[in-house]
């Protein structure tokens, strides 16, 4: 056989192998997800006693697993995306750390009550039929999972909490009319669409601005880093101690406000003093270059991302399996809208495994979107986003403002991106000094030739450091999350009602 023909055949075989490998990977993830849901079905079938609502409980378990998979695919990207985008963590290591921390948070500190899901959004009448309540929960649950699934396909990070809220709202209206809706609660949730990203963006930009002017813009960056980096790490330790006490460990421990502040101050002081020797040793080997000094934030960033994932697992596991606990309680008590419902361990396990599996199978794509496609990340910027997420939640909790952790994190990414853009447009480089201004005799706004005009336009485009299409796309997804999940839940409730009443 001629050599050219042999080369062509080898290329065809290589292309076929690549196509087969890509196809197998695309089939493997959905296949594993389906196996997980089948395992839940078998587990629930052997666990649930036979009764009039047993089929609903089993179906609720499968829907809970589906919801958990989609939370892992969509929501966890907000914690790990900046760390991966800054190259502080490779994608594989980020997936492992996030999966372990999410599962640990869900199992060790999860299980908060689900009264908000079952009582605060809608207030059904006392004589509301228990079967209708169970179908309402199932429809809202499934609709939220389907909306998250679609948002993940579209590369849009959306709020899990808002998806659940929209689902309960839509199914509640379909089941009992507009009178059951707690409109003050819905007004607070709508306010969080604006409050969350703005607060997250402002705090992240303020932190990055402090690091730039106090460390990266200084003539002697190494000396400035030895002074301020331990303080920033201490701030992280104090903030996350308060954050975990208020949010991540709220189910197992409810400290007073004074205790929370004492923890924050103690961890701030300890973190600052303990890391000064580490920073000093690292500084001895550093050159006075921005890239070298920025590397000091890599290790703190990894810890921050892990702590955010732990807190996320503890808080959002209730979003994944809270309605399932409400369905189980309603089936056991025979009453619609039961009181505070605690999540049993086996329910938490479904949420923990589902979130971790969804992250591993479907999370990488959205992690790349958050970490690389909105704006360019490095360790200090990603560190500011992670720290801003915790600080913003603390500020909002103190002020009683409703916020979304997803919106805060994405707002933080936008905040650091727009700060970089503004600094670039003001003529500030990474090392601080301004570009020379044009002389008065040389017009800066007019172009001498068409080529000059094109060059100036290209230069301006390079300074647009935040991709606007992602801003608009993500904002649109946020706004339509509640109505989209609500409309879908209403439709699913009517379908369930029609099928069950046949």
């Amino acid at each position: 056989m001629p050599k050219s023909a042999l080369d062509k055949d080898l290329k065809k075989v290589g292309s076929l192998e690549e196509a087969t490998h890509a196809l197998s990977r695309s089939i493997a993830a959905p296949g594993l997800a389906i196996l997980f849901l089948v395992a839940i079905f078998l587990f629930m079938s052997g666990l649930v006693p036979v009764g009039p609502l047993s089929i609903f409980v089993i179906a609720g378990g499968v829907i809970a697993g589906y919801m958990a998979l989609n939370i892992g695919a969509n929501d966890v990207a907000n914690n790990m995306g900046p760390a991966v985008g800054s190259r502080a963590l490779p994608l594989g290591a980020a997936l492992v750390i996030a999966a372990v921390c999410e599962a640990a948070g869900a199992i060790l500190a999860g299980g908060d009550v689900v009264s908000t899901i079952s009582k605060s959004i809608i207030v059904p009448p006392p004589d509301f039929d228990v079967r209708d309540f169970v179908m309402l929960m199932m429809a809202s649950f499934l609709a939220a999972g389907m909306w998250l699934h679609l948002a993940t396909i579209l590369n849009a990070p959306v709020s899990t909490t808002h998806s659940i809220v929209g689902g309960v709202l839509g199914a509640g209206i379909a089941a009992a009319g507009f009178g059951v809706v707690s409109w003050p609660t819905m007004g607070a949730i709508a306010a969080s669409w604006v409050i969350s990203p703005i607060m997250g963006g402002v705090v992240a930009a303020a932190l990055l601005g402090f690091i730039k002017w106090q460390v990266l813009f200084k003539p002697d960056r190494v000396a400035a880093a030895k002074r301020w980096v331990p303080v920033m790490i201490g701030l992280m330790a104090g903030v996350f101690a308060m954050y975990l006490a208020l949010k991540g460990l709220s189910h197992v421990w409810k400290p007073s406000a004074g205790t929370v502040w004492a923890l924050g101050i103690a961890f701030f002081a300890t973190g600052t003093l303990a890391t000064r020797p580490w920073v000093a040793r690292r500084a001895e080997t550093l050159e006075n270059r921005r890239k070298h000094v920025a590397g000091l934030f890599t290790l703190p960033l990894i810890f921050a991302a892990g702590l955010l994932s732990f807190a996320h697992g503890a808080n959002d596991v209730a979003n994944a399996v809270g309605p399932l606990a409400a369905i189980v309680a309603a089936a056991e008590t025979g009453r619609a809208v039961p009181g505070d419902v605690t999540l049993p361990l086996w329910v938490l396990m479904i949420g923990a495994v589902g979130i971790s599996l969804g992250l591993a199978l479907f999370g990488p794509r959205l992690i790349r979107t958050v970490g690389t496609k909105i704006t360019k990340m490095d360790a200090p910027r990603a560190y500011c986003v992670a720290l801003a997420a915790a600080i913003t939640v603390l500020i909002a909790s103190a002020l009683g403002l409703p916020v979304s952790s997803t919106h805060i994190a994405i707002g933080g990414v936008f905040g650091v991106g727009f700060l970089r853009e503004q600094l670039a447009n003001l003529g500030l480089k990474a090392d601080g000094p301004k570009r020379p201004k044009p002389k008065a005799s040389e017009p800066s706004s007019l172009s001498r030739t068409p080529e000059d005009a094109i060059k100036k336009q290209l230069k301006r485009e390079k300074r647009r450091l935040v991709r606007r299409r992602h801003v608009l796309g993500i904002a649109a997804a946020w706004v339509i999350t509640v109505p989209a999940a609500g409309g879908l839940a209403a439709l699913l409730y009517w379908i369930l009602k029609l099928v069950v009443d046949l």
Side-chain angles (χ1 to χ4, degrees), residues 238 241-242 245-246 253-267:
M242 298 173 69
L246 281 177
W253 182 41
K254 296 186 182 295
S256 64
T259 303
V260 172
W261 275 106
L263 277 173
I265 294 170
F267 273 82

Side-chain angles (χ1 to χ4, degrees), residues 224-241:
K226 290 170 66 176
R227 179 182 180 185
W228 287 111
V229 170
V231 175
M232 295 300 295
I233 296 175
L235 177 64
M236 180 193 78
V239 166
F240 273 103

